[in-house]
Amino acid sequence: MSSPTPTNPAHAHFESFLQAQLCQDVLSSFQGLCQALDVEPGGGLSQYHKIKDQLNYWSAKSLWAKLDKRAGQPVYQQGRACTSTKCLVVGAGPCGLRAAVELALLGARVVLVEKRTKFSRHNVLHLWPFTIHDLRALGAKKFYGRFCTGTLDHISIRQLQLILLKVALLLGVEIHWGVTFSGLQPPPRKGSGWRAQLQPSPPALLANYEFDVLISAAGGKFVPEGFTVREMRGKLAIGITANFVNKRTMEETQVPEISGVARIYNQGFFQSLLKATGIDLENIVYYKDDTHYFVMTAKKQCLLRLGVLHQDWPDTDRLLGNANVVPEALQRFARAAADFATHGKLGKLEFAQDAHGRPDISAFDFTSMMRAESSARVQEKHGARLLLGLVGDCLVEPFWPLGTGVARGFLAAFDAAWMVKRWAEGTGPLEVLAERESLYQLLSQTSPENMHRNVAHYGLDPATRYPNLNLRAVTPNQVRDLYDLVAKDSVQKKSDKTDAGRLVTGSAGTQEELMRWCQEQTAGYPGVHVTDLASSWADGLALCALVHRLQPGLLEPSDVQGVGALEATAWALKVAEQELGITPVLSAQAVVAGSDPLGLIAYLSHFHSAFKDRPHSPGPASQGSLGTPSAVLFLGKLQRTLQRTRAQVEVENPNIEELPVPEPDVIPTPPSHHQEAGADDLCAICGEHLYILERLCADGHFFHRSCFRCHVCEATLWPSGYGQHPGDGHFYCLQHLPQPGHKEDGGDRGPESPVKAVTELPAPSNDGMPSAPSAPAVPQEGTSPIPSPPQPTRQLIRLSSPERQWLSSLHLTPEPETEPPPKPPRSCSALARQALVGSFVGWGVPAQGPQGIRIPSSVLVAMEEEEGSAPSSEEEEEEEDVALDSEIEQTLLSLAKNSDTMNKYPTWRRTLLRRAREEEMKRFCKAQAAQRRLNEIEAALKELEAKGVKLELALRSQSSSPEQQKALWVEQLLQLVQKKNSLVAEEAELMITAKELHLEEKQWQLDQELRSYMNREETLKTAADRQAEDQVLRKLVDVVNERDALIRFQEECRLSELASGSGAQG
C-alpha cells in the first residue's frame, strides 16, 4: 500500500478534493483529479470505478470501502438496475443532491442543473439519527472531520451540500452550474424525447439532452406544471435567522446549545427575556456549527415597538419587504436575543457574511406553507413517456421548528429513487404512481419514533424504513388523473385555508333531522313536547330532559317541577357546560324569551353533533350511558378548579378582595348579565354586536375571540389558562395574572417566579437566568445546574399532617440508608442534561460524590467491554448509541450523578448526552407542532366567523326571501357551526398537550428549587426561607395534582376509544 507523496499529482488533487470547503475549490480540484487520471467527468459509475482503480492508497481506500458497501446493497443490482434510464435533477440543494446520488448508484445517467454558482447558506439543519448514519455511510467524516462529533446532531446547509456534491461527483453525476430550468420541451414528433428549457443558453449537449425522468428539487417557489399545490395557512408567524462568526475559542466551545425552547411550556424564560430586553418571542433555537446559528419566532407588535419594522401592513410581503425592515434594528434585536439566551458567554457577537457580503440575518414569513397534493406525475406525448417526481421543499415546505426538513427530504429522495427503479423495471405507469402516492401519505407522519429502529438497515427499499408499510394504500384507479397524455394546466394553487374553506357534508343536516333527533331524545319525559326549535324550549323542561337523557343521575324530572322557566333553563345551560362540555351560545333569558331562534338552533346542533352516534333507547337513559370524555369539558373543569383555588387563597389574604365563584353542584341564580335581554348579542369587553359564530362564552359572559385576550400580552386566552383579577376586572393569562399579596405596578409583572429575572445585558449571570433552555452539555468543572448554598447537606424539614399526606404520593422523602431519590419522574435524557456535572449539589448529596452505590456486575462487565472494544480515534465518532436495557439504564441514572465515574465510560456518557438532546428536541417539536396547529385553527375560525356573519345577516334581514332559500341558509349555518365545534374540540385537545408540557417543565423547576432549600442546614434557615420553602412545596403539590388529573383524563379517553372500537366491531 503506497502513501500519498507530493510527486503524485493525482494524490494531491484527491486530498485537495477531500478537504475543499468552497464549491469552486471542490469543482476545480475534481477537474484536476480527472485530468491527472485521464478520466472524463460525469461518466456515471464507470467513472467511479476508473478513479477507484487508480487511487489505491490508504486515504482513498477507506472512502472506497464505504461507497462500495453502499453500492453493494442488492437493491442497486451492482449498478445495473437503471442503466437505460436518463434522469434530469433540478436543484443542487441537499435533497436534490441526495436524490442524484441514489439514482447514480442505480446506474442511471444523471444530469443535474443548478442556477447558483456557489454554496453560501450557513443556516443549520437538525439531523435525525438515520440521516446521520446515512451520511456517515457515504463518507461524510472523510469530507468533513467535525461531522456530528460527540453528541452533535446538526450541520450547516453549506457543509451538507459540499459533502453530497463530492459524493455525487465521484459517482459520475454530471453537474451544470449557473443554469436555470424554466420548463419542459415536449417531443416535437414521434421518436424524439423530452427536453428541458434552460436559461441562459446552455451547451449544445445539455440543450439536446433527452431524458425520461425529471426530479424537481428546486425549492418551494418552483413546481413543474401539472402539479396542484395546497396552501396550509395559519396566523401571522415571523421567523428570524441570524448567523454569528464562530471564532472557536475555548469560551465559545463551553456554551451549551439550545435544542429548542418554546413559550408554550417555558413561559418564565420568555417573560424574563421580555422584561430584560423588550423582546417578545415564541421560541428560540441555537446551534453551533461553522457559525453560531440562532433561529427564533418573533411577535409582530414587538418588532414594531422596537423599530425593526417601519409600519404595520396587512400584506406579509410588504410587511417584511426590504423597504419596511430596518437592518440595524433587526441586527440589534437578534444580537440581544442571542446574548440573553446564552448568558452573554459568546462575547462580542459579530455577524457572519452572506453570499452578498452583508450581515447574515433575515426575517421571513412562514404563515403559510405549501404542500403538493401529489408527489409524481406521468406525461406522455408522441409515445414518449416522462416520469416527474418532487422532492424537498417543492414537495412539502417544512415547518422549521420541527426540524423535519432534511430528514423527510431524504426520505422523499429515497422514495423518488425507488419509484425510478420500479419505472425502469417496466412496471406500469399507474402502478408506479399508486405506489409513490402510498409512500407520500406516510411522509408527513414520519418521526424518529415511528420508523424502524435499526437505522443501519435503512436502504432504498421502503420496507427497510417504514413499519406497517402498505404500498397499495392508493390504488391505480385513484391516480388516473396523474397520467396526462399532454401537459395541460399550469400549477394551480388550491388554498384550503386550513380546513376553513370546505363545508362538511353530512353534518347537523336539515332542521327536520335536528328536530327528529331532539324529539327522540326527549320522548317519555312528563310535560315535554317538542314540536319546533323555538317555543317548545321556552319553559326549560325540554332542555332539562335533553341534558338528563345525555347525562343521567344529575337530577330527576321531579326536581324541576315547579321551578321557574328561567331558573330551569339556566340550570340546564350550566350543567350542559360543566358536565357535557357543551358551551352556550345564548343566554337563559334569550331561550325563555325566544328572542334568538338561530342561536338556539346552533346550540342544539352542538348536542346533536356530539351525541348523535350514541345508540338511542326509549325512555330515560341509564346511568352507565356516558359519552366520550371531552377535552373541552376537562379544561372547563380545570378552569373552575383553578378559580376556586384562587378564591380560597384570596379569602386567606385580606389584602385582596374576594372573587365569588359558585360551586358546580349548586343550582345557580342566573347572573344579571344573562337576565338582560339581548346581553348575549353584545361582547362583554368591546360592547360590539356578537353574531352566533363569533360568540365565545367564558365565566358566564360572551366575547369576541379577538377580544378575549390577556390584558398585558394580548395572547389568546384558553380554558384553564386564564384568570380574572377581582380588582380591575381584566382577564389575564396565568403568566401575567397578578398574584394574591403582590402589589400591582402596571408593568409586565407575572406570577412569582422561582428564579430571579435577568435585568442586564449583555452578560447576565447564571443566577440571574430563569429556567432557560438548558442543553445536554456538560458544564465546566465545579459548576451546578441550579444555584445552591455552600453546604449542601440534606436535612429533613418539619411538615404538618396534611402536608405529609400530600407528600405520600410524591416519594420525595428518601428511605433510610438509601441513595437520595431522583426528582419526580423524568426521562433519562433530562437526568443526563442536569446530572452529568462535576458536583452533586442539588441532588441532596455531598459534593464528593455518592457513597455506597452498588453497581451490578453485569452492568460493569457490559460497560467495560464496550469501552474496551472502542474503535480507533478515526472511527470513534461513527459508533452508534448503545442500547439501554432496564438494568443498565437504572444504573446509569445513579452513575450519571457522578461525572468522575461516568468519565471512565465515555461511550455510555455520550449515549446519555445524545439521548438528552433527542428528548429535548422531541419535546420542542411536540410543542411547536401543537402551537402551529393552534395558529391554523385560529385562522380557520376567523374565516368561519366571517362566513357565519354573512349567512346570519342574510337570514335576519331577508324576510322576503323564499322559504327554500332560508332553509338552505340555515343548513349552511349549521354546517359552519359543526365545523367550528369540531375545530374548538381539536383546539381543546391541543391545549391539553400544551398544558401537559407546561406542567412538566413547571414541576421540574419547582423540584429543583425545593431541593435547593432541602439541602440547606436546618439551623441556617431563616423564617423567610421556611416560608418560601413551604410555598414551593404547596405549588409542587398543586402541579403534581394537575398532572395526575391530566393522566386520568388521558386514560379515560384511551379506554373510551377502546370501548367504542370494540363496540363498532361487534
Side-chain angles (χ1 to χ4, degrees), residues 452-652:
H452 280 311
R453 295 294 182 183
N454 194 341
V455 297
H457 290 169
Y458 281 24
L460 193 62
D461 188 342
T464 63
R465 294 175 273 122
Y466 305 115
N468 305 318
L469 177 65
N470 180 11
L471 289 176
R472 298 187 179 182
V474 177
T475 64
N477 240 5
Q478 294 174 289
V479 295
R480 288 188 177 277
D481 60 328
L482 303 181
Y483 190 177
D484 297 331
L485 290 179
V486 180
K488 298 175 182 177
D489 302 326
S490 57
V491 176
Q492 306 167 12
K493 287 189 178 181
K494 184 171 70 177
S495 173
D496 70 350
K497 302 296 184 184
T498 320
D499 308 325
R502 295 191 298 268
L503 295 179
V504 178
T505 59
S507 59
T510 63
Q511 296 181 68
E512 289 76 12
E513 181 184 348
L514 179 60
M515 170 82 75
R516 285 195 301 270
W517 183 82
C518 291
Q519 289 172 337
E520 291 174 357
Q521 298 300 319
T522 57
Y525 286 90
V528 177
H529 303 285
V530 174
T531 58
D532 56 29
L533 297 175
S535 59
S536 296
W537 305 83
D539 59 3
L541 296 180
L543 196 56
C544 289
L546 180 61
V547 171
H548 179 264
R549 167 79 66 185
L550 300 174
Q551 186 71 302
L554 295 174
L555 83 163
E556 294 300 327
S558 57
D559 294 342
V560 294
Q561 298 297 328
V563 177
L566 185 62
E567 288 77 10
T569 303
W571 181 90
L573 290 173
K574 182 181 179 69
V575 173
E577 180 180 12
Q578 296 186 356
E579 301 298 334
L580 298 177
I582 306 294
T583 55
V585 294
L586 76 170
S587 63
Q589 178 74 12
V591 175
V592 173
S595 59
D596 190 4
L598 286 178
L600 180 59
I601 291 173
Y603 181 60
L604 294 174
S605 72
H606 195 176
F607 284 92
H608 177 256
S609 60
F611 298 99
K612 63 183 178 182
D613 294 329
R614 176 182 296 183
H616 172 68
S617 57
S622 63
Q623 175 67 31
S625 59
L626 300 179
T628 302
S630 163
V632 176
L633 174 61
F634 174 79
L635 288 176
K637 289 185 176 181
L638 184 57
Q639 175 67 25
R640 291 187 292 277
T641 300
L642 294 176
Q643 287 176 331
R644 288 196 299 273
T645 302
R646 177 174 170 79
Q648 292 170 2
V649 172
E650 289 169 349
V651 167
E652 298 171 2

Side-chain angles (χ1 to χ4, degrees), residues 782-800:
T783 63
S784 174
I786 58 170
S788 300
Q791 297 181 3
T793 303
R794 186 168 187 152
Q795 297 288 339
L796 294 177
I797 60 174
R798 296 177 176 83
L799 304 175
S800 63

Side-chain angles (χ1 to χ4, degrees), residues 732-881:
Y732 298 86
C733 66
L734 295 183
Q735 183 68 23
H736 297 114
L737 180 64
Q739 295 297 295
H742 290 263
K743 288 186 65 176
E744 295 291 315
D745 61 0
D748 290 340
R749 296 286 184 259
E752 190 177 26
S753 172
V755 190
K756 294 186 293 182
V758 175
T759 57
E760 293 184 0
L761 282 179
S765 65
N766 283 339
D767 293 343
M769 275 301 280
S771 76
S774 41
V778 182
Q780 299 178 19
E781 186 69 20
T783 63
S784 174
I786 58 170
S788 300
Q791 297 181 3
T793 303
R794 186 168 187 152
Q795 297 288 339
L796 294 177
I797 60 174
R798 296 177 176 83
L799 304 175
S800 63
S801 296
E803 289 169 342
R804 291 193 186 97
Q805 185 176 1
W806 288 337
L807 278 177
S808 62
S809 62
L810 297 180
H811 306 291
L812 290 177
T813 305
E815 297 178 1
E817 300 180 1
T818 62
E819 175 68 14
K823 56 182 181 290
R826 284 178 63 85
S827 63
C828 172
S829 63
L831 186 57
R833 179 183 65 183
Q834 284 297 320
L836 283 175
V837 295
S839 69
F840 304 95
V841 178
W843 286 90
V845 293
Q848 66 267 21
Q851 302 296 326
I853 295 180
R854 292 183 298 175
I855 306 174
S857 58
S858 60
V859 176
L860 275 179
V861 171
M863 296 174 69
E864 289 171 357
E865 286 180 352
E866 183 69 36
E867 299 302 331
S869 60
S872 63
S873 58
E874 181 179 348
E875 299 294 330
E876 181 178 354
E877 298 302 337
E878 304 199 16
E879 184 178 355
E880 298 299 323
D881 286 352

Side-chain angles (χ1 to χ4, degrees), residues 200-242:
S201 299
L205 287 177
L206 179 60
N208 296 325
Y209 176 60
E210 295 184 351
F211 48 89
D212 45 19
V213 174
L214 172 68
I215 301 297
S216 176
K221 294 184 178 180
F222 177 79
V223 180
E225 62 179 80
F227 285 90
T228 301
V229 177
R230 179 182 180 188
E231 180 184 13
M232 303 295 293
R233 176 167 289 275
K235 70 176 184 179
L236 179 65
I238 300 175
I240 296 175
T241 61

Side-chain angles (χ1 to χ4, degrees), residues 36-54:
L37 299 177
D38 194 21
V39 173
E40 186 68 26
L45 284 181
S46 60
Q47 169 219 282
Y48 165 70
H49 291 298
K50 291 177 183 178
I51 295 176
K52 184 181 72 169
D53 291 341
Q54 297 184 63

